Amino acid sequence: MSELKLPTEQVTLPSKGLLYPKENPLSSGVIEMKYMTAREEDILTNSNYIRQGTVIDKLLQALIVTPINYDDLLVGDKNAILISARILGYGKDYTFKYTNQQGEEVEVNVDLSGLKDKEIDESLLKSGKNEFTFELPFSKNVVTFKLLTHGDEKNIEAEIKGLKKINPSATYDVTTRLKFIITSVEGKYDQKSIRDFVDNFLIAKDARALREYYSQVQPDIELRYTPEDENYTGEGIDIPINLNFFWPDARV
């Protein structure tokens, strides 16, 4: 009997691989993914993965054929892989509901294959290096920063959980993320200097400007839907991503 073969597809990453070191397989700008099988559907209904909040990551890891370190994936590239996984598994049509500006619940169908990569200025990307330089507009301090990877997101979540155990009533999301994003302050790359700067010297206006610039340079896929209502005046609706995104009958 001839060997059974499972079809695969190549997925182009929004970053085009430009921000990964040359020796990293992700620097090619494409990865190979297989089509979803019944085994992957088992992952979607795994109660342990659902409870731990890791079910989507487990699914994507199972579908990626290219030998990569999953933690290396930039968040924007991971989003593109997620969309491709849904298309390969259950097709390009995705139906969801949202509340319009009149307070009415509306059901829409989105063609996921029509989602575009976010437009960015590629001249701002340093080939092979995930690092950007930014002068804070008010304090004039110069910082360097990186775009977050899946591994960074895991570490941020773990740190916030640890801080919450110490002081459950406090919030740490903004400052913790900034401590992972910023890689140097005025030429100082050590963690002590960065954390001290974020906690004591980073004014709110500068923090907001840095987050806005971060968004401008981050390669990603546009996960927004613009209603076809001529009276709509917003900036689009976030496409909801949950278990039902992959499988309408998945248990949430």
Side-chain angles (χ1 to χ4, degrees):
M1 185 177 72
S2 60
E3 183 179 352
L4 296 176
K5 295 181 179 180
L6 187 64
T8 62
E9 296 284 348
Q10 285 197 331
V11 177
T12 301
L13 304 176
S15 71
K16 299 180 181 178
L18 296 174
L19 296 172
Y20 300 100
K22 295 299 182 184
E23 63 274 12
N24 192 313
L26 291 165
S27 66
S28 68
V30 297
I31 65 161
E32 188 176 7
M33 295 182 65
K34 70 175 185 176
Y35 282 74
M36 197 179 299
T37 67
R39 184 173 182 179
E40 279 71 51
E41 289 190 329
D42 280 344
I43 293 176
L44 285 173
T45 56
N46 185 298
S47 58
N48 287 329
Y49 294 157
I50 294 172
R51 184 173 60 255
Q52 295 165 6
T54 60
V55 61
I56 290 179
D57 289 318
K58 293 292 186 182
L59 173 68
L60 296 185
Q61 290 178 70
L63 294 174
I64 295 172
V65 176
T66 304
I68 66 168
N69 182 339
Y70 189 75
D71 284 350
D72 289 345
L73 272 172
L74 293 171
V75 172
D77 287 342
K78 177 184 163 185
N79 287 337
I81 294 171
L82 181 147
I83 297 299
S84 295
R86 169 54 164 78
I87 294 172
L88 293 177
Y90 298 104
K92 61 184 178 62
D93 295 318
Y94 176 49
T95 301
F96 67 92
K97 296 179 181 179
Y98 75 96
T99 302
N100 66 16
Q101 294 174 315
Q102 290 73 45
E104 304 165 332
E105 189 174 64
V106 180
E107 183 174 274
V108 296
N109 183 272
V110 175
D111 179 354
L112 297 175
S113 67
L115 298 180
K116 305 296 184 183
D117 289 348
K118 187 175 74 176
E119 292 186 8
I120 59 171
D121 183 353
E122 290 187 12
S123 68
L124 299 175
L125 309 185
K126 300 177 183 178
S127 183
K129 191 171 186 180
N130 180 10
E131 185 177 76
F132 301 82
T133 301
F134 184 64
E135 181 180 270
L136 300 172
F138 296 96
S139 68
K140 301 303 180 183
N141 289 309
V142 176
V143 301
T144 59
F145 68 92
K146 67 176 182 178
L147 302 182
L148 296 177
T149 64
H150 173 71
D152 292 325
E153 292 285 2
K154 286 197 308 182
N155 291 333
I156 289 169
E157 182 180 355
E159 183 165 324
I160 291 174
K161 284 183 178 179
L163 292 169
K164 282 286 190 181
K165 290 180 180 179
I166 299 173
N167 188 352
S169 63
T171 57
Y172 303 95
D173 297 63
V174 173
T175 54
T176 302
R177 294 185 72 82
L178 285 168
K179 289 170 185 176
F180 277 83
I181 288 171
I182 296 172
T183 55
S184 77
V185 179
E186 288 293 313
K188 296 179 180 178
Y189 283 82
D190 62 286
Q191 280 295 303
K192 183 178 184 300
S193 296
I194 293 170
R195 289 175 176 267
D196 182 54
F197 174 73
V198 172
D199 284 334
N200 301 301
F201 299 99
L202 181 57
I203 62 177
K205 289 182 178 179
D206 278 341
R208 180 177 181 179
L210 176 59
R211 291 195 298 270
E212 289 176 349
Y213 186 69
Y214 181 103
S215 179
Q216 290 175 21
V217 301
Q218 181 185 29
D220 207 339
I221 189 168
E222 293 284 5
L223 294 174
R224 298 182 73 81
Y225 164 77
T226 302
E228 298 176 355
D229 181 354
E230 62 180 14
N231 297 317
Y232 181 78
T233 58
E235 297 181 354
I237 307 298
D238 289 330
I239 297 175
I241 306 296
N242 50 39
L243 282 183
N244 291 338
F245 177 74
F246 284 98
W247 191 9
D249 297 325
R251 295 184 297 236
V252 182

